[in-house]
């Protein structure tokens, strides 16, 4: 690896893991984090989870897995150019969507509504829960036991109440301080990736048109350049060339504006990055505006397209029905979540002295414990698993 800048995350100065481990021999601490993420079950399931389009709508659309790989690619490019820690940027990028529900945003909203009385559901917090609690792979600890810096990067936002529960990791949301530059970068790489691939997927699905997109400055600028230089280029290839240039423009702007801001603030090390009053990684003012214009466009024309809303409504009904059925009759649950209901102790909750160990989440937290474990089960489902599970639970002609 290239020489790291002094303000990058240096693996030998990590704030460490929740359970102490000996340092890896031939990898850095952040490479180890990345490797654990790649080998996790939640990571593999990203292949069959979607963002906007449901998995069976077509093989050409992005899934959460290909999205996460695109985010990692963008984050690594910028990290290397800014002499930041590429391994950490990659680990955060690959893990950032691990807590996503089936059916993208639709799933998040429905589970949050189902969980209203039981502490809510937030996919970003769930990503942290996956790596801290839900992955069961290692003899020595629960979860993946990742470094503080990777966990800090995964936790992008957090309510004050949750922040207090999370101790060290939540402190920055109460003190209004910043995460590492690598975490800031992964966050913006996420934005660049989804804005651009949603344009691509939206066009391919026929939900938005080039005429509409030409209202957007970021698109129009590149579209005019490409069609002027290559007037005879077939449309599909023109679209790819335009999107390629849009991504390049945004990455270049992000890189240059961030480099200038870092030079201005001249942070001595990662701790002085953390105490800055605002993030140092970011677009220039003009590109920020253009990005917001594109986001608004996608919200109005793609995410609220009636065909997307129909799918969202179907997805919502499936997840809500499953949640309600399992809450009413936990006996419907298959062995794995059923066992967790019997054995798991809710994280951060000490059993009251009056209860004889072992006590379950449900014994301690009542319906809140039950709801959390059912939600973990539903949130972990892929799109196709959720549809099949719905049939197994509700359709009498299906084998269960
Ligand atoms: Mg994402």
């Amino acid at each position: 690896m290239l020489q790291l800048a002094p303000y990058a995350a240096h693996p030998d100065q990590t704030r460490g893991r929740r359970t102490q481990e000996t340092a890896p021999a031939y990898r850095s601490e952040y490479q180890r984090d990345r490797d654990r993420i790649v080998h996790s079950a939640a990571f593999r399931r990203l292949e069959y989870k979607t963002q906007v389009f449901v998995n069976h709508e077509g093989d050409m659309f992005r899934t959460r897995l290909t999205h996460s790989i695109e985010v990692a690619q963008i984050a690594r490019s910028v990290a290397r150019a800014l002499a930041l820690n590429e391994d950490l940027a990659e680990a955060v990028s690959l893990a950032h969507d691990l807590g996503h529900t089936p059916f993208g945003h639709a799933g998040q909203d429905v589970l949050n509504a189902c969980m209203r009385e039981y502490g809510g559901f937030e996919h970003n917090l769930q990503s942290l829960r996956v790596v801290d609690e839900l992955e069961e792979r290692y003899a020595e600890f629960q979860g993946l036991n990742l470094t503080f810096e990777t966990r800090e990067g995964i936790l992008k936002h957090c309510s004050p109440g949750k922040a207090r529960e999370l101790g060290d990791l939540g402190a920055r949301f109460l003190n209004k301080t910043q995460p590492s530059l690598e975490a800031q970068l992964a966050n913006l790489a996420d934005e660049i990736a989804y804005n651009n691939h949603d344009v691509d997927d939206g066009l391919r699905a026929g939900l938005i048109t080039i005429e509409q997109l030409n209202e957007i400055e970021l698109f129009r600028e590149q579209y005019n350049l490409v069609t002027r230089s290559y007037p005879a280029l077939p449309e599909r290839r023109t679209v790819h060339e335009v999107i390629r240039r849009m991504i390049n423009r945004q990455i270049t702007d992000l890189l240059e504006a961030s480099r200038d801001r870092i030079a201005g603030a001249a942070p001595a090390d990662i701790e002085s990055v953390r105490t800055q009053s605002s993030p140092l990684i970011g677009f220039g003012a003009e590109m920020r505006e253009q990005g917001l214009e594109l986001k608004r466009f996608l919200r109005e024309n793609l995410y609220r397209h009636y065909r997307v809303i129909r799918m969202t409504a179907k997805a919502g009904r499936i997840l809500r029905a499953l949640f309600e059925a399992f809450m009413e009759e936990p006996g419907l649950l298959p062995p794995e979540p059923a066992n967790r209901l019997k054995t798991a102790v809710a994280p951060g909750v000490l059993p009251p002295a009056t209860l004889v160990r072992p006590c379950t989440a449900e014994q301690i937290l009542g319906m809140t414990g039950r709801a959390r474990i059912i939600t973990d089960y539903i949130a972990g489902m892929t799109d196709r698993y959720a549809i099949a599970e719905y049939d197994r639970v509700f359709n009498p002609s299906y084998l269960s």
Side-chain angles (χ1 to χ4, degrees), residues 51 64 67-68 71 93 96-97 100 156 190-191 194 197:
Q51 306 240 103
R64 293 254 170 222
H67 163 71
S68 300
V71 175
S93 301
H96 85 284
D97 270 353
H100 257 289
K156 285 194 277 196
D190 184 24
E191 204 175 305
Y194 67 67
H197 64 49

Side-chain angles (χ1 to χ4, degrees), residues 112-177:
N112 190 29
C114 290
M115 287 296 285
R116 191 160 296 140
E117 295 166 51
Y118 311 111
F121 177 88
E122 213 279 308
H123 63 79
N124 185 229
L125 271 174
Q126 189 72 7
S127 296
L128 188 67
R129 191 162 154 71
V130 166
V131 300
D132 281 356
E133 307 284 343
L134 297 180
E135 282 290 325
E136 293 182 313
R137 318 184 62 78
Y138 298 91
E140 304 272 316
F141 43 77
Q142 192 71 18
L144 304 181
N145 199 35
L146 303 179
T147 61
F148 178 88
E149 291 74 22
T150 301
R151 296 170 64 238
E152 170 191 59
I154 292 172
L155 191 65
K156 285 194 277 196
H157 31 80
C158 190
S159 68
K162 289 277 178 216
R164 270 185 285 274
E165 282 172 33
L166 287 168
D168 256 16
L169 201 68
R172 84 168 194 269
F173 300 98
L174 303 170
N175 308 335
K176 308 258 182 284
T177 55

Side-chain angles (χ1 to χ4, degrees), residues 142-322:
Q142 192 71 18
L144 304 181
N145 199 35
L146 303 179
T147 61
F148 178 88
E149 291 74 22
T150 301
R151 296 170 64 238
E152 170 191 59
I154 292 172
L155 191 65
K156 285 194 277 196
H157 31 80
C158 190
S159 68
K162 289 277 178 216
R164 270 185 285 274
E165 282 172 33
L166 287 168
D168 256 16
L169 201 68
R172 84 168 194 269
F173 300 98
L174 303 170
N175 308 335
K176 308 258 182 284
T177 55
Q178 311 304 320
S180 71
L181 295 176
E182 289 81 356
Q184 297 177 28
L185 172 56
N187 189 17
L188 288 169
D190 184 24
E191 204 175 305
I192 295 176
Y194 67 67
N195 279 334
N196 288 285
H197 64 49
D198 286 356
V199 168
D200 188 25
D201 285 351
L203 279 169
R204 188 191 301 279
L207 301 184
I208 51 176
T209 63
I210 291 178
E211 291 65 48
Q212 283 177 307
L213 277 161
N214 268 323
E215 293 163 24
I216 306 304
E217 199 178 344
L218 201 58
F219 186 92
R220 185 175 57 239
E221 232 175 57
Q222 302 307 322
Y223 184 79
N224 288 342
L225 283 171
V226 172
T227 47
R228 221 172 289 142
S229 305
Y230 309 97
L233 204 62
E235 188 178 289
R236 199 58 230 163
R237 215 162 139 183
T238 304
V239 166
H240 283 306
E241 181 65 28
V242 170
I243 293 173
R244 179 183 84 75
R245 290 174 184 222
M246 282 165 64
I247 296 174
N248 196 19
R249 274 269 291 134
Q250 288 165 84
I251 292 179
T252 308
D253 183 274
L254 178 70
L255 212 159
E256 290 172 357
S258 303
R259 189 186 54 202
D260 293 349
R261 230 171 275 140
I262 293 169
D269 53 22
I270 188 171
E271 286 313 316
S272 70
V273 165
R274 287 190 172 118
T275 53
Q276 299 286 322
S277 56
S278 56
L280 296 177
I281 303 290
F283 296 108
E286 198 188 325
M287 184 53 76
R288 230 190 117 247
E289 272 312 305
Q290 290 190 7
L292 288 174
E293 189 192 19
L294 177 59
K295 263 190 192 174
R296 265 196 307 275
F297 172 86
L298 288 171
R299 198 166 45 234
E300 281 159 26
N301 297 287
L302 182 59
Y303 311 142
R304 290 188 193 147
H305 192 286
Y306 84 95
R307 279 170 51 201
V308 173
I309 292 179
R310 279 187 184 185
M311 200 61 226
T312 302
K314 281 187 258 190
R317 275 194 292 272
I318 289 177
L319 299 189
R320 177 176 286 281
L322 285 173

Side-chain angles (χ1 to χ4, degrees), residues 312-333:
T312 302
K314 281 187 258 190
R317 275 194 292 272
I318 289 177
L319 299 189
R320 177 176 286 281
L322 285 173
F323 180 85
E324 285 169 358
F326 293 140
M327 281 298 279
E328 196 183 295
E329 178 46 272
L332 295 174
L333 287 166

